[in-house]
Amino acid sequence: MKRFLPLLLCALLLLSGCTEITSPTLIQMEMTSNYDTSDPFINEKLFYMDKNINVLELDISIQMKGENGILEIVDNETKQVLWSDTWDGDVDETKFTVLLDTIETEKEYIIRFIGTKIEYAKVVITSKDNLVKEREKPLKPDRD
């Protein structure tokens, strides 16, 4: 038994070094008709990057039951839209990838969903890079 325990520990250490598991970053927005009384309504999430990379790859999934939905990725400081797409009518779960090469670590970005006559909408965004971090409040207050 004494000989078996060190071999088991070595095997576990070797396996842990070979099986690095990275969990994807997850930003999720789920809205129903009760989310907001205004029409269109807007849901936003802030994010920033942990480190610089050449291209940020975001895997996006969207489902929607409603009239119209717009999903945008926006620079929070300049308000420049870096990426946008629009859907009309009901959308079964649709998955796609967005590549962004203008993301910088010292900046904050907004993921914004704008919906009209929405009964249900769900947006899930993942990144294999584990560098995307969600932020609750902006670093700089909006002065508009």
Side-chain angles (χ1 to χ4, degrees):
M1 184 66 170
K2 288 183 180 181
R3 289 184 191 169
F4 179 71
L5 188 57
L7 287 173
L8 180 62
L9 287 174
C10 286
L12 288 173
L13 287 173
L14 286 172
L15 284 173
S16 68
C18 295
T19 58
E20 181 180 326
I21 299 173
T22 58
S23 59
T25 299
L26 179 68
I27 295 175
Q28 183 170 311
M29 295 184 275
E30 192 164 9
M31 299 137 290
T32 66
S33 58
N34 298 326
Y35 173 77
D36 196 346
T37 57
S38 63
D39 196 33
F41 67 68
I42 299 172
N43 189 352
E44 298 179 328
K45 298 277 186 163
L46 279 172
F47 75 94
Y48 66 98
M49 294 294 294
D50 237 2
K51 292 191 290 188
N52 277 329
I53 58 174
N54 291 332
V55 176
L56 173 62
E57 184 176 322
L58 296 174
D59 295 316
I60 299 175
S61 168
I62 186 166
Q63 291 176 273
M64 183 179 80
K65 184 171 182 170
E67 182 180 82
N68 182 276
I70 301 169
L71 185 62
E72 300 175 329
I73 299 175
V74 179
D75 181 315
N76 194 30
E77 188 175 334
T78 67
K79 306 305 181 203
Q80 176 187 3
V81 176
L82 305 175
W83 175 89
S84 179
D85 206 347
T86 303
W87 293 268
D88 293 316
D90 296 350
V91 177
D92 291 330
E93 185 177 16
T94 302
K95 296 180 180 186
F96 54 94
T97 300
V98 172
L99 302 175
L100 299 170
D101 61 359
T102 56
I103 302 293
E104 301 173 33
T105 56
E106 57 277 349
K107 290 188 170 188
E108 292 177 320
Y109 301 92
I110 300 168
I111 296 169
R112 177 183 298 140
F113 179 83
I114 303 166
T116 56
K117 295 184 177 39
I118 299 295
E119 292 179 41
Y120 177 79
K122 182 177 182 180
V123 177
V124 178
I125 299 174
T126 57
S127 172
K128 297 175 195 109
D129 296 315
N130 263 354
L131 302 175
V132 176
K133 305 296 181 195
E134 190 173 349
R135 180 167 280 148
E136 292 297 318
K137 295 181 184 178
L139 286 177
K140 298 177 187 175
D142 211 3
R143 296 176 194 212
D144 293 343

